[in-house]
Amino acid sequence: MPVPPHSATEQPRAEARRQQILCAAAQCFREHGFHGASIAQISKTAGMSAGHIYHYFENKEAIIAAIVAQDLEDLLTLTAELRSASNVRAAMIERVAEGVLDQLDPLRAGLKLEIVAEAARNPRVAQIVRDADIACRRGLADTIRDIRRAAGHADDEAAIASMVEVLATLFEGLLLRSIRNPGIDHAQVIRRIQAAVNDLLDQAS
């Protein structure tokens, strides 16, 4: 059972250890798959004992949960920053470039696809991924609703949800493209997706 740090001085060290484990696990999951990556391999890559890893994470599923939670935190931070911008729409379209490059990164794409593949086989991992997706969709829906409302649109929840799904499909599809076509022209894709997002925000409900 993982034991949380007690003192304030232990917390930064514990967080650094957690990050060390997560980085090692991500590398092992990419290289060997979820089932092929053993705790022994992760511990060797992290440069610490297996017992030390179990001090922080109960099992590999807990490691996946932590990786997914980090991605979720990044996305929620992004949506919060967008909604606080003076021009939310312009900020969202500008940040599309960052999102495209992130999704086309082969290392990040490989890890995300491995987690989704495991979610298709493992109900517990599926629940982790689906819970994160609900939170992601909620944050994106709030951002789109703000943009649409400022432009005079009166959308129902179904309309906003459908726009969220289109954006999610667009960006998650980039994960596959990064593997199937590693030579993809990033600049052209960014330009086209920025135009697509701009068009989506103007569409009728």
Side-chain angles (χ1 to χ4, degrees), residues 129-142:
V129 169
R130 289 167 185 165
D131 288 345
D133 187 70
I134 289 171
C136 287
R137 284 187 280 119
R138 186 182 300 119
L140 188 53
D142 289 341

Side-chain angles (χ1 to χ4, degrees), residues 3 8 32 42 106 109 133 138 174 204:
V3 179
H32 306 290
I42 295 171
D133 187 70
R138 186 182 300 119
L174 291 171

Side-chain angles (χ1 to χ4, degrees), residues 95-147:
R95 295 294 287 271
V96 162
E98 180 182 325
V100 170
L101 293 177
D102 181 65
Q103 295 295 88
L104 289 177
D105 181 290
L107 295 181
R108 291 180 65 86
L111 177 60
K112 290 181 179 181
L113 291 173
E114 180 59 36
I115 290 174
V116 171
E118 180 59 23
R121 300 183 290 260
N122 185 327
R124 292 182 295 277
V125 173
Q127 194 60 54
I128 292 168
V129 169
R130 289 167 185 165
D131 288 345
D133 187 70
I134 289 171
C136 287
R137 284 187 280 119
R138 186 182 300 119
L140 188 53
D142 289 341
T143 306
I144 292 175
R145 188 181 297 106
D146 286 352
I147 294 171

Side-chain angles (χ1 to χ4, degrees), residues 17 20-22 24-25 28 41-49 53:
R17 287 290 193 180
Q20 185 178 349
I21 294 167
L22 293 179
C28 291
Q41 287 175 321
I42 295 171
S43 67
K44 182 178 180 180
T45 303
M48 64 180 69
S49 69
I53 290 177

Side-chain angles (χ1 to χ4, degrees), residues 88-89 92 140-156 159-164 167 197-205:
V88 181
R89 180 185 185 128
M92 183 176 189
L140 188 53
D142 289 341
T143 306
I144 292 175
R145 188 181 297 106
D146 286 352
I147 294 171
R148 298 275 294 178
R149 188 175 293 148
H153 296 281
D155 301 301
D156 58 25
I160 295 295
S162 68
M163 293 179 190
V164 169
L167 285 180
V197 172
N198 191 52
D199 178 70
L200 179 67
L201 294 173
D202 280 334
Q203 290 179 8
S205 298

